[in-house]
């Protein structure tokens, strides 16, 4: 019995257990690899979601960079203001033309003086002709003609403004009033100019003894 005990080696562990221990690392490597593959597969479809989430703020930022929304009524309002500004200026010009047709202008005075000077030169040089016509009638008719031109301009500008903007609700009331004033002044100035040109208000002066 002593020999048998010495010849048989003593082992602390069972050979079957050793085989299980050696087999465990090989078997455990496969599940780890499978778990990593599953993780990669699970992470794959999530990447577009993250990219979509990442691109969504960029799209929103691009939409925010477009600036504040402009109201649809802004452009018509600006156009209406620009049109009212031009109409008001034209109405003032029409009224000024009408006033000039009644009171005369510096240009009319210069033409009047020029015609008088020409008449004096012709009379002093013995050119003949009617002195009253040269001294009075020609300068008078020249001034009347120029005033009539200003009256026609006032009538045309004022009448055109009233025809275009009288029915528009967006036109300011003072523009219509000034345009109407220019039209009325032009009409009165035209009547006065015609009376001056055709000597309706007063006859041309005559030299003493010219009728005998």
């Amino acid at each position: 019995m002593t020999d048998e005990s010495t010849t048989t080696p003593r082992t602390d562990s069972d050979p079957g257990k050793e085989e299980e221990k050696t087999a465990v690392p090989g078997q455990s490597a496969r599940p780890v690899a499978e778990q990593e593959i599953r993780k990669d597969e699970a992470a794959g479809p999530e990447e577009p979601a993250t990219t979509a989430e990442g691109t969504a703020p960029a799209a929103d930022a691009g939409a925010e960079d477009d600036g504040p929304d402009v109201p649809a009524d802004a452009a018509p309002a600006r156009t209406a203001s620009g049109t009212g500004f031009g109409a008001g200026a034209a109405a003032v010009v029409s009224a000024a033309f009408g006033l000039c047709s009644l009171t005369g202008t510096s240009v009319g005075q210069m033409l009047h003086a020029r015609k008088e000077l020409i008449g004096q030169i012709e009379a002093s040089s013995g050119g003949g002709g009617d002195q009253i016509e040269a001294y009075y009638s020609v300068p008078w008719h020249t001034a009347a003609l120029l005033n009539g031109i200003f009256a026609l301009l006032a009538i045309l500008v004022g009448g055109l403004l009233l025809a275009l903007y009288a029915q528009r609700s967006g036109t300011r009331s003072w523009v219509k009033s000034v345009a109407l004033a220019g039209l009325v002044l032009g009409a009165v100035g035209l009547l006065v100019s015609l009376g001056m040109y055709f000597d309706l208000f007063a006859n041309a002066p005559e030299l003493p003894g010219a009728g005998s």
Side-chain angles (χ1 to χ4, degrees):
M1 292 178 66
T2 307
D3 296 336
E4 291 179 358
S5 62
T6 56
T7 56
T8 56
R10 295 179 63 185
T11 57
D12 297 333
S13 61
D14 193 10
K17 293 182 180 180
E18 290 179 357
E19 290 179 357
E20 291 178 358
K21 289 181 179 181
T22 56
V24 167
Q27 293 178 357
S28 62
R30 292 180 181 177
V32 170
E34 292 178 356
Q35 290 178 0
E36 291 179 355
I37 293 171
R38 291 177 181 176
K39 288 181 180 180
D40 294 336
E41 291 177 355
E46 292 179 357
E47 289 179 358
T50 56
T51 54
E53 293 177 358
T55 55
D60 296 336
E64 293 177 358
D65 292 336
D66 292 337
D69 294 335
V70 179
D73 298 332
R78 293 176 182 176
T79 305
S81 63
T83 304
F85 180 79
V92 173
V93 170
S94 174
F97 282 159
L99 186 62
C100 290
S101 67
L102 290 173
T103 60
T105 60
S106 59
V107 178
Q109 294 176 359
M110 288 188 295
L111 291 176
H112 187 277
R114 182 175 180 275
K115 291 296 183 180
E116 284 184 349
L117 181 61
I118 292 174
Q120 293 176 4
I121 293 173
E122 290 178 353
S124 63
S125 63
D130 191 358
Q131 294 181 356
I132 298 299
E133 182 73 18
Y135 286 169
Y136 175 79
S137 297
V138 174
W140 182 263
H141 294 164
T142 302
L145 181 61
L146 185 61
N147 292 341
I149 293 174
F150 279 105
L152 287 176
L153 291 175
I155 293 173
L156 289 176
V157 176
L160 183 62
L161 287 175
L162 290 177
L164 292 177
Y165 299 103
Q167 302 299 329
R168 294 187 181 182
S169 59
T171 306
R172 297 182 179 179
S173 59
W174 70 267
V175 175
K176 301 176 184 178
S177 301
V178 175
L180 180 60
L183 178 62
V184 173
L185 289 174
V188 175
L190 183 61
L191 293 177
V192 173
S193 299
L194 291 175
M196 290 174 61
Y197 190 83
F198 294 104
D199 297 329
L200 298 179
F201 303 117
N203 294 327
E206 295 180 357
L207 290 174
S212 58

